[in-house]
Amino acid sequence: MKRILSGIQPTADSLHLGNYLGAVQQWVALQDGNDAFYCIVDLHALTIETEPQAMRKRTLAAAAQLIALGLDPKRCTLFVQSQVPQHNQLGWVMECITGFGEASRMTQFKDKSQKSGSDRTVVGLFTYPMLQAADILLYQANQVPVGEDQRQHIELTRDLAQRFNAKYGDVFTVPDAHIIKGAAKINDLQDPNAKMSKSAASNAGVIDILDSAEINAKKIKSAVTDTGKEIKFDEKNKPGISNLLSIHSALSGKKISEIESEFEGKGYGDFKGAVAEVVTSYFEPVRKRAQELLSDESALQEILDEGGAKARIVAGETLNRVYDALGLVPRITNQR
Ligand code: ATP
Ligand code: LTN
């Protein structure tokens, strides 16, 4: 069985359509026939200043949404990163084998630090990819299902695993990114050249899974489209329409070409109406289920506790091997 690992940050009250299509839809599919670990990466979310109450609420809301979207805690291990201390411990080791220049080249760091300026950029944002590498390598993951924006971080993780193995002996599985063509980058409905993002300046182009059907239908109907009137997939000249075609196709299961011929001779209005229908009918039951799950927080916490216990066993085994390979002197008694 292959080992799968992925993570999502609790940085917003709701997950968005890009998170689902780029990542979580694959997480759900990969539960079967694999040994899958999925992690709510709250420590990564600390790189953005958050109110403690919001952090707690968002972590539980992320768990509820992941389950409502199809993760089954009986078929996968769902856990919270901060409950598994080995992530920080291996994170430090990763920091000690990463070059400063190498870390400085990470585009997510460059983009995010540029936006906030160096005085407001925390060091944790710089070391973020090394903690992410630890998340992955602790579980000896073979595959990491993520959206396109994470490709560089997975590349770094592979480099670090190979570097460690070459120097200290074969400890880590070198993971592959699992990135699905078509859904790997869903764009903002108001700015179809930018990725749909939780941290976007405006929420007008972001489809939140926990929003009502009315709100989401309205956002889709006011999506920015291109001049012209053909419903045709052409990312360069028609980024808005192409984005909507990708969304429709990923949720309806229809091929892009099928959707194009269905709308031949019809206008943008008809097409947007159909996309709104596909999206809202898909997520309406998810929203209801997530709200039900959120009404029993202790049941959610129990699921996460159980996941954490399973994760600590696997993570602990890897960390012991790492410390041993590095020559750190082990404790001879487990007491205290
Ligand atoms: P932010 O944009 O604020 O950094 P995010 O929306 O990217 O946050 P994350 O928790 O960082 O959310 O990402 C969770 C997963 O969702 C990752 O695998 C990421 O690649 C994927 N993802 C995020 N946005 C998109 C998108 N627009 N299209 C496809 N996949 C996406
Ligand atoms: N950086 C990722 C979140 C993340 C992650 C991981 C993804 C943290 N640790 C491990 C895959 C595997 C992001 O989506 N922004």
Side-chain angles (χ1 to χ4, degrees):
M1 270 219 280
K2 281 196 177 144
R3 180 62 63 68
I4 312 294
L5 179 122
S6 196
I8 188 160
Q9 302 186 80
T11 40
D13 292 337
S14 173
L15 306 192
H16 60 71
L17 186 58
N19 296 140
Y20 178 62
L21 294 180
V24 180
Q25 195 171 37
Q26 277 58 253
W27 298 13
V28 174
L30 288 166
Q31 291 178 109
D32 295 313
N34 297 297
D35 187 13
F37 284 71
Y38 299 123
C39 181
I40 301 170
V41 289
D42 53 350
L43 298 172
H44 278 110
L46 291 175
T47 56
I48 297 172
E49 203 182 326
T50 314
E51 290 298 323
Q53 277 168 347
M55 178 66 96
R56 198 191 120 77
K57 180 173 160 233
R58 289 169 175 181
T59 303
L60 293 177
Q65 289 170 83
L66 291 172
I67 296 169
L69 287 166
L71 288 194
D72 175 359
K74 291 200 181 69
R75 286 184 290 153
C76 70
T77 305
L78 177 62
F79 68 103
V80 177
Q81 186 187 32
S82 62
Q83 295 184 6
V84 184
Q86 288 85 358
H87 289 245
N88 304 71
Q89 293 172 294
L90 185 60
W92 174 255
V93 175
M94 291 295 126
E95 285 172 37
C96 292
I97 64 168
T98 305
F100 194 84
E102 192 175 31
S104 309
R105 285 191 290 276
M106 293 294 114
T107 54
Q108 184 177 297
F109 170 72
K110 287 198 282 187
D111 291 348
K112 291 197 176 178
S113 58
Q114 218 161 43
K115 270 190 206 150
S116 39
S118 75
D119 281 343
R120 299 214 351 249
T121 298
V122 295
V123 174
L125 199 63
F126 186 66
T127 57
Y128 179 118
M130 287 69 100
L131 181 60
Q132 179 167 353
D135 297 342
I136 298 167
L137 300 180
L138 272 178
Y139 299 89
Q140 308 287 357
N142 304 99
Q143 285 193 355
V144 186
V146 284
E148 182 61 43
D149 62 319
Q150 293 302 310
R151 192 184 286 281
Q152 196 188 30
H153 286 167
I154 311 302
E155 251 336 288
L156 175 72
T157 304
R158 291 171 55 85
D159 289 346
L160 295 177
Q162 279 158 348
R163 189 172 306 162
F164 187 99
N165 287 350
K167 186 145 187 217
Y168 301 105
D170 228 2
V171 172
F172 294 125
T173 302
V174 180
D176 286 317
H178 177 89
I179 299 175
I180 294 283
K181 227 177 120 227
K185 185 167 179 253
I186 299 300
N187 288 333
D188 188 286
L189 300 185
Q190 288 299 318
D191 179 4
N193 290 306
K195 117 180 157 118
M196 189 178 285
S197 159
K198 284 185 279 202
S199 51
S202 150
N203 201 249
V206 179
I207 297 294
D208 277 333
I209 284 165
L210 292 182
D211 266 347
S212 69
E214 293 73 43
I215 293 180
N216 282 338
K218 206 165 156 206
K219 283 183 179 173
I220 293 167
K221 288 177 187 161
S222 28
V224 167
T225 39
D226 336 279
T227 50
K229 39 185 196 296
E230 249 190 314
I231 315 294
K232 250 238 121 9
F233 192 87
D234 174 353
E235 273 183 311
K236 199 153 165 257
N237 301 309
K238 291 172 146 301
I241 289 295
S242 304
N243 192 38
L244 292 175
L245 276 166
S246 299
I247 293 170
H248 187 313
S249 163
L251 292 176
S252 66
K254 291 184 185 167
K255 288 204 196 96
I256 301 253
S257 57
E258 260 177 79
I259 309 169
E260 284 171 346
S261 28
E262 198 179 312
F263 286 93
E264 221 178 284
K266 295 195 180 140
Y268 285 176
D270 287 338
F271 175 58
K272 285 181 180 177
V275 177
E277 174 56 30
V278 167
V279 170
T280 54
S281 60
Y282 196 94
F283 290 110
E284 200 49 22
V286 172
R287 178 167 75 106
K288 295 216 171 93
R289 180 79 187 112
Q291 277 160 351
E292 269 167 34
L293 288 161
L294 273 171
S295 69
D296 188 353
E297 290 192 355
S298 54
L300 279 175
Q301 277 186 274
E302 257 173 57
I303 291 173
L304 295 171
D305 269 23
E306 252 178 62
K310 281 202 250 166
R312 283 191 295 276
I313 294 173
V314 179
E317 279 168 12
T318 302
L319 190 73
N320 283 343
R321 289 177 57 199
V322 170
Y323 277 10
D324 186 48
L326 288 167
L328 306 184
V329 175
R331 289 188 303 191
I332 52 172
T333 154
N334 250 335
Q335 278 157 16
R336 278 175 298 162

